[in-house]
């Protein structure tokens, strides 16, 4: 039995320097589109609720479902990559993301905006799940000689995506007077990148490989489970930040513009953290100390943003931003550092993001339920201290110098 892929053996590249540079640019630009769907919705959530477009039950659904969908669709990515080739799956996923972003703010007659929000969010979640899984394996495949650099660039792009959504959406709302117009604007960058990536996907011709080239069965590896659980606790914090940090700040009395700037500043610092973490991780003998340090920084930063003195809110925001960006990048870098080839990398990526995001969506749901039942975000602050303990334990285990295919 054989399976197709569009990639050459790990550690080699059939791309000319010019095409390799263009591919790297495309992968980074894809990353720039992978979090705007989440952070843009959060940025205008208060206005959407005030418009009466979204009932309370739908708020929990729309903040939790995207992360759940990342988990549901992530295991499908390795299967599709073997069948159609990873670059073609990336193209299809970007096209699906574009459709979802166009559908999300649409109005459906008497039903209002709710059907569009639900359907568009579902399409976006499915598309982002596929891109999330395939991007690390593509970096390992085509940029194995520059893992630290490309790992930092594409994870920084993903973090920048969240910053753009958080920082620009509310000003767009103020300029247009319409939250639906503000959300619609994010469909156009996705469309542009989809069109840009078409030549790359068309040139990627699948080749035949034996079943042995399909990679290790990562589900039987204890190291793979440590990496996966590290991702799970990271995801619980990360997507809770995207979905709830702006509402938390506004609940503490900070106005919408300032809250948007704070979230944008925090995520801007995430970009800095995500740039250095992959290079540092690749140079270290193992990543135990790094993983634990980043987990502690992130959990403390988030908890203190909820519980700490408001006069020091910029300090807590900065701590959260640096920690979260580096933590996300470190977790994704484990995919490349704990595998020997791109096939195993995509399998590990599918596993860790399937389980990590699928179960990690409990974080956003937990915050929603805590706030709905108590009217306060304070209990969530304590909960994320506990989540930080879990991230520290499994970050330590994942950081040991052991491959999943050892």
């Amino acid at each position: 039995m054989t399976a197709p892929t569009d990639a050459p053996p790990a550690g080699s590249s059939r791309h000319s320097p010019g095409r390799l540079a263009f591919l790297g640019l495309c992968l980074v630009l894809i990353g720039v589109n992978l979090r705007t769907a989440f952070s843009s919705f959060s940025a205008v959530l208060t206005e959407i609720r005030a418009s009466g477009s979204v009932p309370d039950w739908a708020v929990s659904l729309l903040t939790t479902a995207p992360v759940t969908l990342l988990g549901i669709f992530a295991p499908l990515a390795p299967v599709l990559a073997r069948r159609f080739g990873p670059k073609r799956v990336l193209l299809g996923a970007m096209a699906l993301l574009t459709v979802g972003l166009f559908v999300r703010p649409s109005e459906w007659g008497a039903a209002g905006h709710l059907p569009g929000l639900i359907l568009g969010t579902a399409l976006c979640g499915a598309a982002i799940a596929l891109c999330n899984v395939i991007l690390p394996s593509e970096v390992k495949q085509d940029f194995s000689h520059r893992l630290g650099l490309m790992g930092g660039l594409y994870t920084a792009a993903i973090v920048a995506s969240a910053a753009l959504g958080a920082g620009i959406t509310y000003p767009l709302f103020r300029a247009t007077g319409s939250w639906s117009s503000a959300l619609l604007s994010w469909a156009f960058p996705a469309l542009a990148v989809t069109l840009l990536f078409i030549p790359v996907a068309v040139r990627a011709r699948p080749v035949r490989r034996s079943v042995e080239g399909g990679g290790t069965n990562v589900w039987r590896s204890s190291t793979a489970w440590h990496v996966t659980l590290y991702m799970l606790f990271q995801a619980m914090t990360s997507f809770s930040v995207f979905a709830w940090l702006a509402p938390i700040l506004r609940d503490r009395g900070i106005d919408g513009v300032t809250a948007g700037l704070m979230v944008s500043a925090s995520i801007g610092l995430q970009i800095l953290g995500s740039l250095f973490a992959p290079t540092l991780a690749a140079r270290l003998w193992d990543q135990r100390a790094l993983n634990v340090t980043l987990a502690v920084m992130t959990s403390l930063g988030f908890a203190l943003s909820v519980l700490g003195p408001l006069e020091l809110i910029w300090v807590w925001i900065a701590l959260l931003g640096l920690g979260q960006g580096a933590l996300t990048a470190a977790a994704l870098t484990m995919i490349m550092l704990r595998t020997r080839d791109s096939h195993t990398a995509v399998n590990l990526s599918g596993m860790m993001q399937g389980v990590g995001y699928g179960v990690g969506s409990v974080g956003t749901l937990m915050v929603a339920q805590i706030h709905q039942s108590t009217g306060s975000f304070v209990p969530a602050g304590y909960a994320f201290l506990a989540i930080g303990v879990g991230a520290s334990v499994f970050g330590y285990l994942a950081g040991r110098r052991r491959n999943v295919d050892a």
Side-chain angles (χ1 to χ4, degrees):
M1 182 182 295
T2 57
T5 178
D6 62 6
S12 67
S13 176
R14 57 183 174 78
H15 301 291
S16 66
R19 286 188 176 183
L20 196 63
F22 183 72
L23 172 61
L25 174 64
C26 287
L27 296 181
V28 169
L29 290 177
I30 288 173
V32 171
N33 284 272
L34 295 187
R35 294 296 180 268
T36 56
F38 305 136
S39 58
S40 61
F41 180 79
S42 174
V44 290
L45 178 57
T46 300
E47 286 66 35
I48 294 174
R49 297 179 75 170
S51 71
S53 301
V54 180
D56 286 342
W57 65 265
V59 172
S60 296
L61 174 66
L62 292 169
T63 54
T64 304
V67 191
T68 304
L69 289 169
L70 296 188
I72 292 173
F73 284 94
L76 184 62
V79 178
L80 292 175
R82 288 192 294 269
R83 175 66 180 85
F84 299 105
K87 292 180 177 65
R88 294 178 182 181
V89 176
L90 276 179
L91 176 62
M94 284 303 300
L96 184 63
L97 176 61
T98 302
V99 172
L101 289 170
F102 273 115
V103 168
R104 186 172 63 157
S106 60
E107 191 168 5
W108 295 49
H113 287 93
L114 187 58
L117 285 169
I118 293 174
L119 177 60
T121 297
L123 294 176
C124 291
I128 293 169
L130 299 178
C131 293
N132 278 346
V133 172
I134 292 175
L135 271 178
S137 67
E138 284 296 282
V139 170
K140 185 174 182 67
Q141 178 61 57
D142 291 308
F143 299 92
S144 58
H145 58 303
R146 291 288 186 271
L147 281 184
L149 174 63
M150 271 304 297
L153 287 176
Y154 98 86
T155 53
I158 292 175
V159 174
S161 174
L164 290 170
I168 297 178
T169 304
Y170 190 81
L172 286 173
F173 163 74
R174 292 286 297 272
T176 63
S178 167
W179 61 263
S180 59
S181 296
L183 292 183
L184 180 64
S185 65
W186 296 108
F188 297 100
L191 175 61
V193 175
T194 301
L195 296 176
L196 190 67
F197 197 64
I198 288 175
V200 176
V202 169
R203 285 196 303 263
R205 297 182 177 179
V207 295
R208 307 299 292 181
R209 287 195 182 279
S210 65
V211 69
E212 288 78 11
T216 299
N217 183 351
V218 294
W219 296 89
R220 297 179 179 178
S221 166
S222 60
T223 298
W225 278 106
H226 296 153
V227 172
T228 295
L229 292 171
Y230 182 43
M231 171 61 83
L232 186 157
F233 285 105
Q234 181 278 139
M236 290 184 75
T237 302
S238 179
F239 284 93
S240 295
V241 170
F242 294 150
W244 291 108
L245 183 57
I248 285 170
L249 294 175
R250 295 183 72 171
D251 188 69
R252 298 199 70 182
I254 298 170
D255 66 88
V257 173
T258 305
L261 288 174
M262 285 182 171
V263 173
S264 185
S266 179
I267 301 178
L269 288 170
Q270 285 189 37
I271 298 174
L272 179 62
S274 63
L275 278 171
F276 80 76
T279 300
L280 179 58
R283 291 179 177 177
L284 292 172
W285 171 254
D286 67 32
Q287 294 75 38
R288 289 176 292 181
L290 176 66
N291 290 350
V292 172
T293 299
L294 298 178
V296 171
M297 284 178 62
T298 303
S299 62
L300 280 177
F302 197 10
L304 290 171
S305 295
V306 181
L307 307 170
L310 199 58
E311 312 86 71
L312 297 176
I313 189 64
W314 281 104
V315 176
W316 316 141
I317 291 294
L319 182 64
L320 172 61
L322 284 172
Q324 184 66 65
L327 179 65
T328 301
L332 291 172
T333 303
M334 292 297 103
I335 298 171
M336 296 174 276
L337 296 181
R338 295 294 172 263
T339 57
R340 289 196 175 100
D341 59 74
S342 62
H343 303 290
T344 303
V346 77
N347 290 341
L348 176 59
S349 185
M351 173 186 175
M352 68 181 286
Q353 297 192 58
V355 176
Y357 290 143
V359 182
S361 63
V362 171
T364 56
L365 179 62
M366 176 189 70
V367 176
Q369 293 303 313
I370 285 174
H371 187 260
Q372 187 172 338
S373 60
T374 67
S376 170
F377 288 110
V378 169
Y382 293 105
F384 279 98
L385 290 175
I387 289 171
V389 173
S392 298
V393 170
F394 288 103
Y396 180 90
L397 294 173
R400 295 179 298 175
R401 193 179 176 90
R402 298 180 182 180
N403 283 347
V404 302
D405 44 8

